[in-house]
Coordinates of all heavy atoms in Angstrom, one line a residue:
M173 N 0.8 -1.2 0.0 CA 0.0 0.0 0.0 C 0.9 1.3 0.0 O 1.9 1.3 0.7 CB -0.9 0.0 1.2 CG -1.6 1.3 1.5 SD -2.6 1.3 3.0 CE -4.0 0.3 2.5
T174 N 0.6 2.2 -0.8 CA 1.3 3.5 -0.9 C 0.4 4.6 -0.4 O -0.7 4.7 -0.9 CB 1.8 3.7 -2.3 OG1 2.7 2.6 -2.7 CG2 2.6 5.0 -2.4
L175 N 0.9 5.4 0.5 CA 0.1 6.6 0.9 C 1.0 7.8 0.7 O 2.2 7.8 0.8 CB -0.2 6.5 2.4 CG -1.1 5.3 2.8 CD1 -1.1 5.2 4.4 CD2 -2.5 5.4 2.3
K176 N 0.3 8.9 0.3 CA 1.0 10.2 0.2 C 0.7 11.0 1.4 O -0.4 11.0 1.9 CB 0.6 10.9 -1.0 CG 1.0 10.3 -2.3 CD 0.6 11.1 -3.5 CE 1.1 10.5 -4.8 NZ 0.8 11.3 -5.9
A177 N 1.7 11.7 1.9 CA 1.5 12.6 3.1 C 2.3 13.9 2.8 O 3.2 13.9 2.0 CB 2.1 11.9 4.3
R178 N 1.9 14.9 3.5 CA 2.6 16.2 3.4 C 3.0 16.6 4.9 O 2.3 16.2 5.8 CB 1.7 17.3 2.9 CG 1.3 17.0 1.4 CD 0.8 18.2 0.7 NE 0.4 18.0 -0.6 CZ 1.2 17.9 -1.7 NH1 2.4 18.0 -1.5 NH2 0.7 17.6 -2.9
V179 N 4.0 17.4 4.9 CA 4.4 17.9 6.2 C 3.7 19.2 6.5 O 3.8 20.2 5.6 CB 6.0 18.1 6.3 CG1 6.3 18.7 7.6 CG2 6.7 16.8 6.0
R180 N 3.0 19.3 7.6 CA 2.3 20.6 8.0 C 2.7 20.8 9.5 O 2.4 19.9 10.3 CB 0.8 20.4 7.8 CG 0.4 20.5 6.4 CD -1.1 20.7 6.2 NE -1.4 20.6 4.8 CZ -2.3 19.7 4.4 NH1 -3.0 18.9 5.2 NH2 -2.6 19.6 3.1
A181 N 3.3 21.9 9.7 CA 3.7 22.3 11.1 C 4.5 21.2 11.8 O 4.3 20.9 12.9 CB 2.4 22.7 11.9
G182 N 5.4 20.6 11.0 CA 6.2 19.6 11.5 C 5.6 18.2 11.7 O 6.2 17.3 12.2
R183 N 4.4 18.0 11.2 CA 3.6 16.8 11.4 C 3.4 16.2 10.0 O 3.1 16.9 9.0 CB 2.3 17.0 12.1 CG 2.4 17.5 13.4 CD 2.6 16.4 14.4 NE 2.6 16.9 15.8 CZ 2.7 16.2 16.8 NH1 2.7 14.9 16.6 NH2 2.7 16.7 18.0
L184 N 3.3 14.9 9.9 CA 3.0 14.2 8.6 C 1.5 14.1 8.6 O 0.9 13.5 9.5 CB 3.6 12.9 8.5 CG 5.2 12.9 8.4 CD1 5.8 11.6 8.6 CD2 5.6 13.5 7.1
V185 N 0.9 14.6 7.5 CA -0.6 14.6 7.4 C -0.9 13.8 6.1 O -0.5 14.1 5.0 CB -1.2 16.0 7.2 CG1 -2.7 15.9 7.1 CG2 -0.8 16.8 8.5
V186 N -1.6 12.7 6.3 CA -2.1 11.9 5.2 C -3.5 12.3 4.9 O -4.4 12.4 5.7 CB -2.2 10.4 5.6 CG1 -2.7 9.5 4.4 CG2 -0.7 9.9 6.0
D187 N -3.7 12.8 3.6 CA -5.0 13.3 3.2 C -5.7 12.4 2.2 O -6.0 12.9 1.1 CB -4.8 14.7 2.7 CG -6.1 15.5 2.5 OD1 -7.1 15.1 3.1 OD2 -6.1 16.4 1.6
E188 N -5.8 11.2 2.5 CA -6.5 10.3 1.7 C -7.1 9.1 2.5 O -6.5 8.8 3.6 CB -5.6 9.7 0.5 CG -4.4 9.0 1.0 CD -3.5 8.7 -0.2 OE1 -2.8 9.6 -0.7 OE2 -3.5 7.5 -0.6
P189 N -8.2 8.6 2.2 CA -8.8 7.5 3.0 C -8.0 6.2 2.9 O -7.3 6.0 1.9 CB -10.2 7.4 2.4 CG -10.1 7.9 1.0 CD -9.0 8.9 1.0
T190 N -8.1 5.4 4.0 CA -7.4 4.1 4.0 C -8.4 3.1 4.6 O -9.4 3.5 5.3 CB -6.2 4.1 4.9 OG1 -6.5 4.2 6.2 CG2 -5.2 5.2 4.5
D191 N -8.1 1.9 4.4 CA -8.9 0.8 5.0 C -8.2 0.2 6.2 O -8.6 -0.8 6.7 CB -9.1 -0.3 4.0 CG -10.0 0.1 2.8 OD1 -10.9 1.0 3.1 OD2 -9.9 -0.4 1.7
L192 N -7.1 0.9 6.7 CA -6.4 0.4 7.8 C -7.2 0.5 9.1 O -7.9 1.5 9.3 CB -5.1 1.2 8.0 CG -4.1 1.1 6.8 CD1 -3.0 2.2 7.0 CD2 -3.5 -0.3 6.7
P193 N -7.1 -0.5 9.9 CA -7.8 -0.4 11.2 C -7.3 0.7 12.1 O -6.2 1.1 12.0 CB -7.5 -1.8 11.9 CG -7.0 -2.6 10.8 CD -6.4 -1.7 9.7
E194 N -8.2 1.3 12.9 CA -7.9 2.3 13.8 C -6.7 1.9 14.7 O -6.7 0.8 15.2 CB -9.1 2.7 14.7 CG -8.9 3.9 15.5 CD -8.9 5.2 14.7 OE1 -9.5 5.2 13.6 OE2 -8.3 6.2 15.1
G195 N -5.7 2.8 14.8 CA -4.6 2.5 15.7 C -3.4 1.8 15.0 O -2.4 1.5 15.6
T196 N -3.6 1.5 13.7 CA -2.5 0.8 13.0 C -1.3 1.7 12.9 O -1.4 2.9 12.6 CB -3.0 0.5 11.5 OG1 -4.1 -0.4 11.6 CG2 -1.8 -0.2 10.7
E197 N -0.1 1.1 13.2 CA 1.1 1.8 13.1 C 1.8 1.6 11.8 O 1.8 0.4 11.3 CB 2.1 1.4 14.3 CG 3.3 2.2 14.3 CD 4.2 1.8 15.5 OE1 3.7 1.8 16.7 OE2 5.3 1.4 15.3
I198 N 2.2 2.6 11.1 CA 2.9 2.5 9.8 C 4.2 3.2 9.9 O 4.5 4.0 10.7 CB 2.1 3.0 8.7 CG1 1.9 4.5 8.8 CG2 0.7 2.3 8.6 CD1 1.3 5.2 7.6
E199 N 5.1 2.7 9.0 CA 6.4 3.4 8.9 C 6.5 4.2 7.6 O 6.0 3.7 6.6 CB 7.6 2.4 8.9 CG 7.8 1.7 10.2 CD 9.0 0.8 10.2 OE1 9.9 0.9 9.4 OE2 9.0 -0.1 11.1
L200 N 6.9 5.4 7.6 CA 7.0 6.2 6.4 C 8.5 6.4 6.0 O 9.3 6.5 6.8 CB 6.4 7.6 6.7 CG 4.9 7.6 7.1 CD1 4.5 9.0 7.5 CD2 4.1 7.1 5.9
L201 N 8.7 6.3 4.7 CA 10.1 6.5 4.1 C 10.0 7.6 3.2 O 9.3 7.6 2.2 CB 10.5 5.2 3.4 CG 11.8 5.3 2.6 CD1 13.0 5.5 3.6 CD2 12.0 4.0 1.8
A202 N 10.8 8.7 3.5 CA 10.8 9.8 2.6 C 11.5 9.4 1.3 O 12.5 8.8 1.3 CB 11.5 11.0 3.3
L203 N 10.9 9.8 0.2 CA 11.5 9.5 -1.1 C 12.5 10.6 -1.5 O 12.3 11.7 -1.3 CB 10.4 9.5 -2.2 CG 9.3 8.4 -2.1 CD1 8.3 8.5 -3.2 CD2 10.0 7.0 -2.1
D204 N 13.6 10.1 -2.0 CA 14.7 11.0 -2.4 C 14.5 11.2 -3.9 O 14.3 10.2 -4.7 CB 16.0 10.3 -2.2 CG 17.2 11.1 -2.6 OD1 17.0 12.1 -3.3 OD2 18.3 10.8 -2.2
P205 N 14.4 12.4 -4.3 CA 14.1 12.7 -5.7 C 15.3 12.2 -6.6 O 15.2 12.1 -7.8 CB 13.9 14.2 -5.8 CG 14.6 14.7 -4.6 CD 14.5 13.7 -3.5
G206 N 16.5 11.9 -6.0 CA 17.6 11.5 -6.8 C 17.8 10.0 -6.6 O 16.9 9.2 -6.9
D207 N 18.9 9.6 -6.2 CA 19.2 8.2 -6.0 C 20.1 8.0 -4.8 O 20.4 9.0 -4.1 CB 19.8 7.6 -7.3 CG 21.1 8.3 -7.7 OD1 22.0 8.6 -6.8 OD2 21.3 8.6 -8.9
W208 N 20.5 6.8 -4.6 CA 21.3 6.5 -3.4 C 22.7 6.1 -3.7 O 23.4 5.4 -3.0 CB 20.6 5.4 -2.6 CG 19.3 5.9 -2.0 CD1 19.1 6.5 -0.8 CD2 18.0 5.7 -2.5 NE1 17.8 6.8 -0.6 CE2 17.1 6.3 -1.6 CE3 17.5 5.1 -3.7 CZ2 15.7 6.4 -1.9 CZ3 16.1 5.2 -3.9 CH2 15.3 5.8 -3.0
L209 N 23.2 6.5 -4.9 CA 24.6 6.2 -5.3 C 25.6 7.2 -4.6 O 25.4 8.4 -4.5 CB 24.7 6.3 -6.8 CG 23.9 5.4 -7.7 CD1 24.1 5.7 -9.1 CD2 24.3 3.9 -7.4
D210 N 26.6 6.5 -4.1 CA 27.7 7.4 -3.5 C 28.6 7.7 -4.7 O 28.4 7.3 -5.9 CB 28.4 6.8 -2.4 CG 29.1 5.4 -2.7 OD1 29.4 5.2 -4.0 OD2 29.4 4.6 -1.8
D211 N 29.7 8.5 -4.5 CA 30.6 9.0 -5.6 C 31.2 7.8 -6.3 O 31.3 7.8 -7.5 CB 31.6 9.9 -5.1 CG 31.0 11.3 -4.7 OD1 29.9 11.5 -5.1 OD2 31.7 12.0 -4.0
T212 N 31.6 6.8 -5.5 CA 32.3 5.6 -6.1 C 31.3 4.8 -7.0 O 31.7 4.4 -8.1 CB 32.9 4.7 -5.0 OG1 33.8 5.4 -4.2 CG2 33.5 3.5 -5.6
D213 N 30.1 4.5 -6.5 CA 29.1 3.8 -7.3 C 28.7 4.6 -8.5 O 28.5 4.0 -9.6 CB 27.9 3.5 -6.5 CG 28.2 2.4 -5.4 OD1 29.1 1.7 -5.6 OD2 27.4 2.4 -4.4
R214 N 28.6 5.9 -8.4 CA 28.2 6.7 -9.6 C 29.3 6.7 -10.6 O 29.0 6.6 -11.8 CB 28.0 8.2 -9.1 CG 27.4 9.1 -10.3 CD 27.0 10.5 -9.9 NE 26.2 10.5 -8.7 CZ 24.9 10.1 -8.6 NH1 24.3 9.6 -9.7 NH2 24.3 10.2 -7.5
A215 N 30.6 6.7 -10.2 CA 31.7 6.7 -11.2 C 31.7 5.3 -11.9 O 31.9 5.2 -13.1 CB 33.0 6.9 -10.5
A216 N 31.4 4.2 -11.1 CA 31.3 2.9 -11.7 C 30.2 2.8 -12.7 O 30.3 2.2 -13.8 CB 31.2 1.8 -10.6
L217 N 29.0 3.4 -12.4 CA 27.9 3.4 -13.3 C 28.2 4.2 -14.6 O 28.0 3.7 -15.7 CB 26.7 4.1 -12.6 CG 25.5 4.4 -13.5 CD1 24.9 3.1 -14.1 CD2 24.4 5.1 -12.8
H218 N 28.8 5.3 -14.5 CA 29.2 6.1 -15.6 C 30.2 5.4 -16.5 O 30.1 5.4 -17.7 CB 29.7 7.5 -15.2 CG 28.5 8.4 -14.7 ND1 28.4 9.7 -15.0 CD2 27.4 8.1 -14.0 CE1 27.3 10.2 -14.5 NE2 26.8 9.2 -13.9
K219 N 31.2 4.7 -15.9 CA 32.1 3.9 -16.6 C 31.5 2.8 -17.4 O 31.7 2.6 -18.6 CB 33.2 3.3 -15.7 CG 34.3 2.5 -16.3 CD 35.3 2.0 -15.3 CE 36.4 1.2 -15.9 NZ 36.1 -0.1 -16.3
A220 N 30.5 2.1 -16.8 CA 29.8 1.0 -17.4 C 29.0 1.5 -18.6 O 28.9 0.9 -19.6 CB 28.9 0.3 -16.4
L221 N 28.4 2.7 -18.4 CA 27.6 3.3 -19.5 C 28.5 3.7 -20.7 O 28.1 3.5 -21.8 CB 26.8 4.5 -19.0 CG 25.7 4.2 -18.0 CD1 25.1 5.5 -17.4 CD2 24.6 3.4 -18.7
R222 N 29.6 4.2 -20.4 CA 30.6 4.6 -21.5 C 31.0 3.3 -22.2 O 31.0 3.3 -23.4 CB 31.8 5.3 -20.9 CG 31.5 6.8 -20.6 CD 32.8 7.6 -20.3 NE 33.6 7.0 -19.2 CZ 33.4 7.2 -17.9 NH1 32.4 8.0 -17.5 NH2 34.2 6.7 -17.0
E223 N 31.3 2.3 -21.5 CA 31.7 1.0 -22.1 C 30.6 0.4 -22.9 O 30.8 -0.1 -24.0 CB 32.2 0.0 -21.0 CG 33.5 0.4 -20.4 CD 33.8 -0.4 -19.2 OE1 33.0 -1.3 -18.7 OE2 34.9 -0.2 -18.6
S224 N 29.4 0.5 -22.4 CA 28.2 0.0 -23.2 C 28.0 0.8 -24.5 O 27.8 0.3 -25.5 CB 27.0 0.2 -22.3 OG 25.8 -0.3 -23.0
D225 N 28.2 2.2 -24.4 CA 28.1 3.0 -25.6 C 29.2 2.6 -26.6 O 28.9 2.5 -27.8 CB 28.3 4.5 -25.3 CG 27.0 5.1 -24.7 OD1 25.9 4.5 -24.8 OD2 27.1 6.2 -24.1
A226 N 30.3 2.3 -26.2 CA 31.4 1.8 -27.1 C 31.1 0.5 -27.7 O 31.3 0.3 -28.9 CB 32.7 1.8 -26.3
D227 N 30.5 -0.4 -26.9 CA 30.1 -1.7 -27.5 C 29.0 -1.6 -28.6 O 29.1 -2.2 -29.6 CB 29.5 -2.6 -26.4 CG 30.6 -3.2 -25.5 OD1 31.8 -3.2 -25.9 OD2 30.3 -3.6 -24.3
V228 N 28.0 -0.7 -28.3 CA 27.0 -0.4 -29.3 C 27.6 0.2 -30.6 O 27.3 -0.3 -31.7 CB 25.9 0.5 -28.7 CG1 25.0 1.0 -29.8 CG2 25.1 -0.2 -27.6
A229 N 28.5 1.1 -30.4 CA 29.1 1.8 -31.5 C 29.9 0.8 -32.4 O 30.0 0.9 -33.6 CB 30.0 3.0 -31.1
A230 N 30.5 -0.2 -31.7 CA 31.4 -1.1 -32.4 C 30.6 -2.3 -32.9 O 31.2 -3.2 -33.5 CB 32.5 -1.6 -31.5
G231 N 29.3 -2.3 -32.7 CA 28.5 -3.4 -33.1 C 28.6 -4.7 -32.3 O 28.2 -5.8 -32.7
R232 N 29.1 -4.6 -31.1 CA 29.2 -5.7 -30.2 C 27.9 -5.9 -29.4 O 27.9 -5.6 -28.2 CB 30.4 -5.6 -29.3 CG 31.8 -5.6 -30.0 CD 32.9 -5.6 -29.0 NE 33.0 -4.4 -28.2 CZ 33.7 -3.3 -28.5 NH1 34.5 -3.3 -29.6 NH2 33.7 -2.2 -27.7
L233 N 26.9 -6.3 -30.1 CA 25.6 -6.5 -29.4 C 25.2 -7.9 -29.4 O 25.6 -8.7 -30.2 CB 24.5 -5.7 -30.2 CG 24.8 -4.2 -30.4 CD1 23.7 -3.6 -31.3 CD2 24.8 -3.5 -29.0
V234 N 24.5 -8.3 -28.4 CA 24.0 -9.7 -28.2 C 22.4 -9.6 -28.2 O 21.9 -8.7 -27.4 CB 24.5 -10.3 -27.0 CG1 24.0 -11.7 -26.8 CG2 26.0 -10.3 -26.9
D235 N 21.8 -10.4 -29.0 CA 20.3 -10.4 -29.0 C 19.8 -10.9 -27.7 O 20.2 -12.0 -27.2 CB 19.8 -11.2 -30.2 CG 18.4 -11.1 -30.4 OD1 17.6 -11.9 -29.7 OD2 18.0 -10.2 -31.2
A236 N 18.9 -10.2 -27.1 CA 18.3 -10.5 -25.8 C 17.6 -11.9 -25.9 O 17.7 -12.7 -24.9 CB 17.3 -9.5 -25.3
D237 N 16.9 -12.2 -27.0 CA 16.3 -13.5 -27.1 C 17.2 -14.6 -27.1 O 16.9 -15.7 -26.5 CB 15.5 -13.5 -28.5 CG 14.2 -12.7 -28.4 OD1 13.7 -12.4 -27.3 OD2 13.8 -12.2 -29.5
E238 N 18.4 -14.4 -27.6 CA 19.4 -15.5 -27.6 C 19.9 -15.7 -26.1 O 20.1 -16.9 -25.7 CB 20.6 -15.1 -28.5 CG 20.3 -15.2 -29.9 CD 19.8 -16.5 -30.4 OE1 20.4 -17.6 -30.0 OE2 18.8 -16.5 -31.2
I239 N 20.1 -14.6 -25.4 CA 20.6 -14.7 -24.0 C 19.5 -15.4 -23.2 O 19.8 -16.3 -22.4 CB 20.9 -13.4 -23.4 CG1 22.0 -12.7 -24.1 CG2 21.1 -13.4 -21.9 CD1 23.3 -13.4 -24.0
L240 N 18.2 -15.1 -23.4 CA 17.1 -15.7 -22.7 C 17.0 -17.2 -23.0 O 16.8 -18.0 -22.1 CB 15.8 -15.0 -23.0 CG 15.7 -13.6 -22.4 CD1 14.4 -12.9 -22.9 CD2 15.8 -13.6 -20.9
K241 N 17.2 -17.6 -24.2 CA 17.2 -19.0 -24.6 C 18.3 -19.8 -23.9 O 18.1 -20.9 -23.4 CB 17.4 -19.2 -26.1 CG 16.2 -18.8 -26.9 CD 16.5 -19.0 -28.4 CE 15.3 -18.4 -29.3 NZ 15.6 -18.4 -30.7
E242 N 19.5 -19.2 -23.8 CA 20.7 -19.8 -23.1 C 20.3 -20.0 -21.7 O 20.6 -21.0 -21.1 CB 21.9 -19.0 -23.3 CG 22.5 -19.0 -24.7 CD 23.7 -18.1 -24.9 OE1 24.4 -17.8 -23.9 OE2 24.0 -17.8 -26.1
L243 N 19.7 -18.9 -21.1 CA 19.5 -19.0 -19.6 C 18.4 -20.0 -19.3 O 18.5 -20.8 -18.4 CB 19.0 -17.6 -19.1 CG 20.0 -16.5 -19.1 CD1 19.4 -15.2 -18.8 CD2 21.1 -16.9 -18.0
R244 N 17.4 -20.1 -20.2 CA 16.3 -21.1 -20.0 C 16.9 -22.5 -20.2 O 16.4 -23.5 -19.6 CB 15.2 -20.9 -21.0 CG 14.4 -19.6 -20.6 CD 13.2 -19.4 -21.5 NE 12.6 -18.2 -21.3 CZ 12.5 -17.2 -22.1 NH1 12.9 -17.3 -23.4 NH2 11.9 -16.0 -21.8
A245 N 17.9 -22.7 -21.0 CA 18.5 -24.0 -21.3 C 19.3 -24.5 -20.1 O 19.6 -25.7 -20.0 CB 19.2 -24.0 -22.6
S246 N 19.8 -23.6 -19.3 CA 20.7 -23.9 -18.2 C 20.0 -24.6 -17.1 O 18.9 -24.5 -16.8 CB 21.4 -22.7 -17.7 OG 22.1 -22.0 -18.7

């Protein structure tokens, strides 16, 4: 179940009906508009993306259907 809430006067206010029983305790996780990559992970991602672009440019592609067939055969 996903609920949306807003902060008003330092309190989280949920402004939509729920079927939750009275007194139910829930945990809320604030969504980060970005991601959770640190500098090292972001650098690794960018390196992998550059390598992938180079593979595409060089024609080193593998058909996904072939990979799936191999995986299913294993």
Side-chain angles (χ1 to χ4, degrees):
M173 170 184 283
T174 301
L175 300 171
K176 289 184 181 181
R178 297 202 183 277
V179 177
R180 289 196 187 121
R183 301 274 184 176
L184 295 169
V185 178
V186 178
D187 190 23
E188 55 187 82
T190 71
D191 293 330
L192 296 171
E194 190 70 26
T196 299
E197 185 175 303
I198 63 170
E199 292 185 19
L200 299 173
L201 173 64
L203 294 178
D204 183 344
D207 57 45
W208 292 275
L209 295 177
D210 61 22
D211 290 342
T212 301
D213 289 339
R214 186 174 313 289
L217 171 63
H218 287 221
K219 180 178 183 281
L221 291 171
R222 283 191 302 275
E223 291 170 355
S224 178
D225 282 343
D227 286 339
V228 170
R232 294 186 296 263
L233 302 175
V234 179
D235 188 273
D237 288 332
E238 293 301 317
I239 297 294
L240 292 173
K241 284 179 193 174
E242 290 177 22
L243 290 171
R244 289 183 186 119
S246 299

